[in-house]
Amino acid sequence: MGWRARPDPQDVRFSLTTVAALAQAVPEALNITGITPYSFRRMTGTPEDDMTVQISSFQTTYSTDVLDRMRKTSLASDRAESLWKGAKYFHTQMRNELDKCPQDNVLGLLPYVSNHVAYYEKKFGKPRETTFELSNLGIVKIGGDVLPDAWSLDSMTFTQGAQPAGAALTINCISVDGGALTLAITWQDSIVHESIINALASEYL
């Protein structure tokens, strides 16, 4: 029996914004695959103050037809319709992932990898399995008793290092309750051209 949960609207929005921007910036791309990490914490009932690692992920691949529709949309109404179709597709993919949990989950396959270093070293020099990763830590709520008097927290930054054997680029999101939403993009130098990163960043502004 699967766990029921709703995709974070921010994950849907930023994933589709990323796909649409990359489709325009890389017109020769035949498909784009995004990876979205998610936590089992709420599903397993793990208390918020327990330190644990319960992160898994799922992939969503956008085909040539989907990318071509995004490239051809010049009117705002057409763009909205294209993104809405993409949102429904993303929602369906995530629902399928959650419905089958905990069976056939990538986290459950980790014990079958006997040598993790060798596993990732085999990926060097080969085509990337994923185009981008969207990691969203959500909203951070800091209680008034945590910060010193007269202190306030307006924003935070969350980043990951470049992934030589993972996604070509990573979008890292974090929000502060009552404060700013911050996005940071990380990528491996010489793997992704800076013009693509600039085009992607402009879509988030």
Side-chain angles (χ1 to χ4, degrees):
M1 180 178 179
W3 287 305
R4 308 300 292 180
R6 292 188 303 173
D8 190 318
Q10 280 190 354
D11 289 349
V12 178
R13 173 190 170 192
F14 291 134
S15 287
L16 294 176
T17 300
T18 301
V19 172
L22 292 177
Q24 297 290 348
V26 191
E28 66 274 17
L30 299 179
N31 60 69
I32 291 175
T33 299
I35 184 170
T36 306
Y38 63 93
S39 174
F40 279 126
R41 184 180 292 269
R42 287 188 299 173
M43 304 174 189
T44 59
T46 304
E48 291 186 0
D49 55 356
D50 280 6
M51 182 178 292
T52 182
V53 178
Q54 297 183 358
I55 300 297
S56 190
S57 62
F58 75 99
Q59 292 185 6
T60 307
T61 298
Y62 300 86
S63 65
T64 303
D65 291 342
V66 174
L67 301 182
D68 284 344
R69 283 199 299 269
M70 291 183 175
R71 293 175 180 128
K72 294 175 182 178
T73 53
S74 56
L75 297 176
S77 58
D78 293 338
R79 178 180 173 84
E81 181 180 359
S82 176
L83 293 178
W84 175 244
K85 289 181 179 178
K88 291 194 292 184
Y89 174 68
F90 180 91
H91 186 279
T92 300
Q93 295 295 100
M94 188 168 209
R95 175 63 61 220
N96 292 340
E97 169 73 17
L98 296 177
D99 281 349
K100 69 181 182 181
C101 285
Q103 284 78 32
D104 300 324
N105 186 270
V106 66
L107 186 63
L109 299 177
L110 288 179
Y112 296 96
V113 181
S114 58
N115 188 326
H116 287 269
V117 174
Y119 173 79
Y120 284 105
E121 284 182 340
K122 289 180 180 178
K123 296 177 181 290
F124 292 164
K126 296 181 180 179
R128 305 270 176 154
E129 296 176 0
T130 52
T131 312
F132 71 92
E133 174 186 320
L134 174 67
S135 290
N136 186 1
L137 293 188
I139 301 175
V140 177
K141 298 181 179 180
I142 304 296
D145 57 339
V146 176
L147 298 174
D149 292 341
W151 283 41
S152 64
L153 184 63
D154 298 322
S155 64
M156 299 180 70
T157 300
F158 157 57
T159 60
Q160 300 181 78
Q163 303 184 43
L169 58 93
T170 304
I171 300 95
N172 313 276
C173 312
I174 190 169
S175 304
V176 172
D177 188 29
L181 162 66
T182 303
L183 282 78
I185 306 174
T186 53
W187 70 97
Q188 190 176 357
D189 190 28
S190 78
I191 298 299
V192 182
H193 198 281
E194 191 170 335
S195 62
I196 296 176
I197 301 300
N198 291 336
L200 179 58
S202 67
E203 288 292 326
Y204 297 138
L205 299 177

